[in-house]
Amino acid sequence: MLGYISKRLLVAFCVCATVSAISFALMFLSGDPAIAIAGAGGRAQDAEAVRIAYGFDRPIVTQYLDWIGSALTGDLGRSIYFNVPVTEIIGNRVGVTLRLGVLSFLLALVVAVPLGIAAALRPNGWIDRLALVLAVTGQAIPSFWLGLMAIVVFGVWYGWVPISGAETWQGYILPVIVLSYYAMPAMMRITRSGMIDVLATDYIRAARAKGLPMGTVIFRHALRNAVLPLVSLAAVQLGLLLSGSIVIESVFALNGLGRLAWESLLRSDLPVVQAIILILSLLYVLLTTLADILNAVLDPRLRGVS
Amino acid sequence: MTHHTPKYFLSGAVALAASLSFAAGTPAMAGKEDNTLNVAFASEPEPLDTYKIAGREGLILARHIFDGLLYKNLDTGEIVPALAESWEFTGPLTMEFTLRKGVKFHNGAEFTADDVVETLNTVITPEYGTRYSISVDWIESVEKLADDKVRINMSKPFAGAVEMLADALPIYPHEFFAENGSEGMAATPIGTGPYKLVSQEPGIRYEMERFADHYEGSPKSGATIDKIIVRTMPEMNTQYAELMSGDLDWIWRIPPDQATQLESRVQIISAPIMRIGYVGFAPESLGGDSPIADKRVRQALIHATNRAAITDAFAGGASKVLNTPCNPAQFGCEQDVTVYEYDPEKARALLAEAGYEDGFEMEMVFAAMPRPTAEAIAADLAKVGVTLILNEQQYAAGIGQWRAKELPAFFSNWGSYGIGDTAFILSNFFGGGDDDLVQNPELAEWLTVADSASDRDVRAENYSMAVKKIVDEAYWMPMYNFNVNYGLADDLNFTPHPDEFARWWNSSWK
């Protein structure tokens, strides 16, 4: 098991380094960062001054190696736009994104798993149909539209919850619901299909023939095998929620990491963009590695135990 | 039609749905009740060291916190004293200022000549990294003559100097600034302005309170609103919802179509600004080997574009078609020029004369302009046989290609730093620098004279010659001046200004 984990971590490191190098190069392909930083009113000499001040006149490989070298010592540089250490800005913003992502993930999971199981128990029954409607609408309705409608109905018409901002916990209610509605369908459907497959297997039939209570059959025997694909999917979903909440953060004026990444990209704030890419790729790799390990724990066959 | 369509549709739906909310409930008007102005910006303001920022959002906040030596009354066009009580040119390259006494900074420090000397002498050094060199590169040094007297030694004649000193170069408290530098000023901005910053989450939320000790006689005096809270809310639809529900009192940069939908529900003001849209033609591009190098082709392109219809359809509000490569509101922007009417027949004739009766294909990069506007230009040009290949880019990438002389045409906009003087636009594009892809020595010469002469008549005369030449040679296709739509709480008095600097110290409740 230790060998397996070490190998996974080594691969993870290589993935992060590659992602970060490619993204570094891509940023330079998208236009001269010195001109972007000099601003729309900046003259050629302003851009030149920026180029020298921030070292953009050095070869791109040198710039990358310098950056990665500092990053390894925990120094992610200074934001060009905010003129403060990148770690400080990210530290200020990451809490919002973590709360939003984790709460949405948990809510999606709490709804998706029981609903998926219930739907699998009676395929084509009313719960299954309801689950299908939820899944289809969750996937088909763009989350920004849903977010804006939620604002109009619950924030403006009824005034039940704040429309924007993360100053109070109530500010998270609408964005968490909207984001979880977007994340839920995939997890629900994979639970349902996994459950249907497992319920049709011989060992479940045998368990039911022995007269075991239905609850025991489902939760002790079937669920353990049915959730294996869900674990892998959930890791990816959590990663997506943490990295991909740009739209929801914008709609609800939550100043999290997603928005920071997007804004920094537009204003060519390279140190911030690089740091966020590194953090998110590390997070993805960590989550998928954890999912693999969890699957190996749940299913002895995966770790070679007969 | 375009990728904007669903967004516009959505915005319309939300605006409509939010409008209906008035039937469902009464909005809370918290702003007036506790004398707090609630403001939203879509973009994150930069750190509040004015010398290092370019975005209007940060600059607006900074102008409430800081004062300059002078101030421009935009209603009269007059430059009036601010921190300086009086000033005069004592030589062609020297200006002397008598400073106001009894002015206090927000931290209680007394304003003196040391503050002016420390601030300006620091920000002119290349190491400081002042964002726009044009704002300070005309200052050689600043000397203290007495506690209330300073002299600015200029490095070159610069007609825009007084304009720059009018609030664009704020004065910092010298001890705090010397000790804490730019970073310290950004973390704790301390000025002499009508509002002091009491808290900030950089880029997210700012809270300002009226400064009780603001000096008498200030051109910014008379503020009546106690508190201003500014938040970043990137999604415009969310801003509309909050404005309608009474949680916001002031928003801006509402797109024209949305402004039309909202005006039946909230107070909408449309005001012209200094920024103008233009298509720059580059005779020097592609080694001078492109149809655009021919004057008749450039003239044909302008005749072929129905600029009036495009302005009406896409700019709306207070925008007007321009005939000059500058804003008519700017000093020196001659308006007695050749007018290129919309005339496709004439365009075809000019193209035929230039040897392009079968048309040609040309790339046009556009940046910071809406795609539908670029598409409308392309559609008009297609009617006379010119195929415009549209290429949307970030401004940095577009201007980079322009400077590399790779683009025959570039569609973008220019704001002249909000300053009402032709010096801040023409010289950048026609003065012989890197952005000048015309490189006409006669033009550059006129502009140099106009930019540096202290006699306004000499300036006006030289700008006039330059503007006429640019129009006659059709180096630019000026499109329209921008306007800004503001969304305001019904009970808010607010007067917009063409320099895009909101003056909340002049705002009040009805």
Side-chain angles (χ1 to χ4, degrees):
Chain A
M1 193 76 172
L2 261 182
Y4 174 73
I5 293 173
S6 329
K7 258 191 238 163
R8 286 303 318 258
L9 289 179
L10 183 68
V11 172
F13 176 79
C14 294
V15 169
C16 290
T18 313
V19 167
S20 125
I22 293 171
S23 60
F24 201 83
L26 284 178
M27 289 225 42
F28 279 84
L29 287 178
S30 66
D32 185 342
I35 299 178
I37 293 162
R43 297 176 297 171
Q45 56 264 48
D46 295 323
E48 201 48 43
V50 168
R51 193 168 289 118
I52 293 163
Y54 294 107
F56 295 142
D57 51 343
R58 297 171 301 156
I60 186 169
V61 177
T62 315
Q63 291 183 55
Y64 176 70
L65 290 177
D66 278 359
W67 175 80
I68 201 90
S70 305
L72 286 173
T73 65
D75 173 12
L76 293 170
R78 289 183 84 79
S79 158
I80 292 165
Y81 189 79
F82 289 110
N83 193 24
V84 292
V86 170
T87 43
E88 195 179 299
I89 304 180
I90 290 182
N92 290 340
R93 306 282 178 104
V94 76
V96 169
T97 301
L98 276 180
R99 277 190 288 274
L100 182 63
V102 171
L103 288 173
S104 307
F105 174 75
L106 290 177
L107 181 61
L109 204 61
V110 162
V111 175
V113 173
L115 198 60
I117 294 171
L121 289 176
R122 296 231 190 292
N124 294 322
W126 70 269
I127 295 182
D128 193 21
R129 285 170 199 273
L130 172 75
L132 184 67
V133 170
L134 284 177
V136 169
T137 51
Q139 282 176 330
I141 297 176
S143 52
F144 66 93
W145 187 86
L146 199 61
L148 290 169
M149 285 301 134
I151 283 177
V152 169
V153 176
F154 302 108
V156 180
W157 286 7
Y158 295 109
W160 288 345
V161 279
I163 291 172
S164 64
E167 283 143 33
T168 58
W169 65 268
Q170 289 97 328
Y172 285 96
I173 295 176
L174 290 183
V176 163
I177 291 173
V178 171
L179 205 52
S180 63
Y181 191 50
Y182 161 77
M184 184 270 294
M187 293 198 279
M188 193 274 289
R189 295 182 78 155
I190 210 159
T191 307
R192 177 187 177 275
S193 59
M195 207 65 189
I196 287 176
D197 287 348
V198 173
L199 288 176
T201 54
D202 289 344
Y203 81 95
I204 293 293
R205 254 188 244 124
R208 292 176 75 171
K210 277 198 293 182
L212 284 178
M214 200 53 192
T216 312
V217 173
I218 293 167
F219 292 105
R220 290 200 53 190
H221 297 279
L223 194 58
R224 188 170 171 144
N225 284 322
V227 296
L228 289 178
L230 175 67
V231 170
S232 307
L233 176 76
V236 176
Q237 287 287 70
L238 181 57
L240 273 176
L241 290 178
L242 291 173
S243 63
S245 54
I246 298 167
V247 171
I248 290 299
E249 286 181 13
S250 296
V251 168
F252 291 96
L254 299 167
N255 293 283
L257 223 49
R259 276 217 46 81
L260 180 67
W262 175 244
E263 294 282 344
S264 303
L265 203 62
L266 289 182
R267 54 198 175 215
S268 287
D269 197 346
L270 295 173
V272 177
V273 176
Q274 276 305 105
I276 293 176
I277 289 172
L278 185 71
I279 289 169
L280 290 181
S281 40
L282 274 170
L283 185 78
Y284 255 102
V285 170
L286 185 74
L287 285 172
T288 46
T289 308
L290 281 176
D292 287 350
I293 294 168
L294 185 58
N295 270 340
V297 171
L298 286 170
D299 186 352
R301 287 170 300 181
L302 292 176
R303 53 179 195 265
V305 177
S306 60
Chain B
M1 186 177 75
T2 74
H3 68 279
H4 288 277
T5 308
K7 190 178 153 196
Y8 289 157
F9 175 76
L10 174 80
S11 304
V14 170
L16 182 69
S19 305
L20 294 174
S21 69
F22 275 75
T26 314
M29 305 303 282
K32 188 177 181 177
E33 278 166 21
D34 56 7
N35 202 8
T36 299
L37 183 72
N38 290 291
V39 167
F41 286 141
S43 305
E44 296 177 353
E46 293 162 272
L48 300 179
D49 173 4
T50 307
Y51 291 97
K52 295 204 172 182
I53 66 183
R56 275 289 185 280
E57 291 81 4
L59 288 172
I60 287 175
L61 299 183
R63 289 197 174 202
H64 286 76
I65 298 166
F66 302 109
D67 287 312
L69 290 173
L70 309 172
Y71 181 82
K72 185 169 184 176
N73 180 336
L74 279 182
D75 301 324
T76 61
E78 198 189 348
I79 303 281
V80 296
L83 287 175
E85 203 171 62
S86 63
W87 80 100
E88 60 177 337
F89 274 91
T90 50
L93 290 176
T94 50
M95 297 170 83
E96 284 186 16
F97 297 81
T98 303
L99 306 178
R100 212 180 276 267
K101 293 186 196 72
V103 177
K104 278 200 161 41
F105 282 98
H106 298 156
N107 63 353
E110 196 87 20
F111 164 71
T112 67
D114 292 325
D115 302 313
V116 181
V117 172
E118 172 70 27
T119 305
L120 296 181
N121 278 339
T122 304
V123 301
I124 58 175
T125 58
E127 300 74 45
Y128 191 77
T130 293
R131 172 67 70 92
Y132 292 139
S133 57
I134 192 173
S135 62
V136 293
D137 65 1
W138 56 275
I139 302 177
E140 175 75 40
S141 63
V142 184
E143 298 169 65
K144 175 180 175 177
L145 304 176
D147 269 353
D148 64 344
K149 271 198 186 323
V150 292
R151 179 190 292 141
I152 293 182
N153 299 306
M154 296 168 68
S155 57
K156 61 179 182 186
F158 179 52
V162 175
E163 292 274 356
M164 276 299 169
L165 289 166
D167 227 15
L169 304 180
I171 303 302
Y172 295 161
H174 75 278
E175 280 174 348
F176 183 85
F177 187 40
E179 213 169 295
N180 300 283
S182 172
E183 250 172 77
M185 284 307 298
T188 319
I190 297 166
T192 55
Y195 283 87
K196 59 180 178 181
L197 191 77
V198 289
S199 74
Q200 67 167 330
E201 281 177 73
I204 300 173
R205 191 177 190 278
Y206 301 81
E207 199 172 317
M208 297 192 290
E209 270 176 18
R210 193 149 55 93
F211 180 41
D213 288 335
H214 187 50
Y215 65 94
E216 273 179 42
S218 161
K220 297 180 186 174
S221 63
T224 59
I225 291 175
D226 285 341
K227 199 190 265 189
I228 302 172
I229 295 173
V230 179
R231 289 183 291 153
T232 304
M233 297 178 63
E235 175 57 49
M236 289 306 289
N237 287 297
T238 313
Q239 292 190 15
Y240 307 152
E242 292 238 354
L243 180 64
M244 289 191 203
S245 66
D247 292 329
L248 282 176
D249 305 302
W250 189 100
I251 64 175
W252 74 336
R253 295 185 173 169
I254 304 172
D257 55 336
Q258 296 307 300
T260 314
Q261 293 204 32
L262 290 167
E263 64 192 354
S264 62
R265 295 294 170 193
V266 290
Q267 196 187 165
I268 298 283
I269 300 181
S270 176
I273 57 170
M274 219 62 84
R275 186 168 296 279
I276 70 171
Y278 68 90
V279 178
F281 298 131
E284 289 257 306
S285 68
L286 310 168
D289 185 24
S290 79
I292 213 77
D294 191 315
K295 174 179 168 179
R296 291 163 299 186
V297 171
R298 299 194 296 268
Q299 289 174 325
L301 298 184
I302 307 179
H303 277 302
T305 307
N306 191 346
R307 293 178 295 152
I310 290 173
T311 303
D312 281 351
F314 300 111
S319 291
K320 297 261 184 306
V321 176
L322 297 178
N323 295 310
T324 50
C326 44
N327 191 314
Q330 292 178 308
F331 169 79
C333 188
E334 174 66 78
Q335 292 302 297
D336 180 19
V337 294
T338 310
V339 174
Y340 294 85
E341 299 293 353
Y342 174 55
D343 190 345
E345 277 313 309
K346 193 168 183 181
R348 279 190 205 99
L350 280 163
L351 286 173
E353 204 184 307
Y356 295 102
E357 54 279 327
D358 297 329
F360 60 90
E361 207 175 79
M362 182 177 87
E363 183 187 12
M364 182 175 85
V365 162
F366 65 103
M369 293 302 285
R371 174 170 279 277
T373 320
E375 285 177 345
I377 297 174
D380 280 344
L381 296 190
K383 290 177 196 157
V384 298
V386 175
T387 306
L388 211 53
I389 299 164
L390 295 179
N391 180 359
E392 184 169 12
Q393 294 199 4
Q394 288 289 316
Y395 183 82
I399 199 75
Q401 264 189 282
W402 174 264
R403 284 172 188 162
K405 301 187 178 180
E406 291 165 0
L407 295 180
F410 183 43
F411 180 30
S412 192
N413 65 75
W414 185 260
S416 300
Y417 315 95
I419 297 177
D421 193 303
T422 304
F424 293 91
I425 181 164
L426 290 192
S427 308
N428 189 63
F429 294 101
F430 303 99
D434 289 318
D435 284 346
D436 178 4
L437 263 63
V438 166
Q439 295 290 337
N440 182 320
E442 196 181 22
L443 257 180
E445 174 61 29
W446 287 332
L447 290 174
T448 306
V449 173
D451 287 352
S452 50
S454 51
D455 184 329
R456 279 172 81 84
D457 292 338
V458 173
R459 297 191 66 213
E461 189 190 335
N462 281 276
Y463 282 137
S464 170
M465 290 191 289
V467 169
K468 285 181 175 193
K469 177 89 176 170
I470 295 163
V471 175
D472 287 341
E473 292 291 326
Y475 289 138
W476 259 28
M477 172 158 74
M479 294 297 292
Y480 47 79
N481 66 317
F482 279 47
N483 68 79
V484 167
N485 294 311
Y486 299 84
L488 310 172
D490 282 336
D491 52 6
L492 182 69
N493 288 313
F494 172 78
T495 308
H497 288 87
D499 59 3
E500 277 181 280
F501 289 117
R503 290 155 168 82
W504 296 318
W505 61 81
N506 278 341
S507 294
S508 60
W509 304 107
K510 286 179 184 167

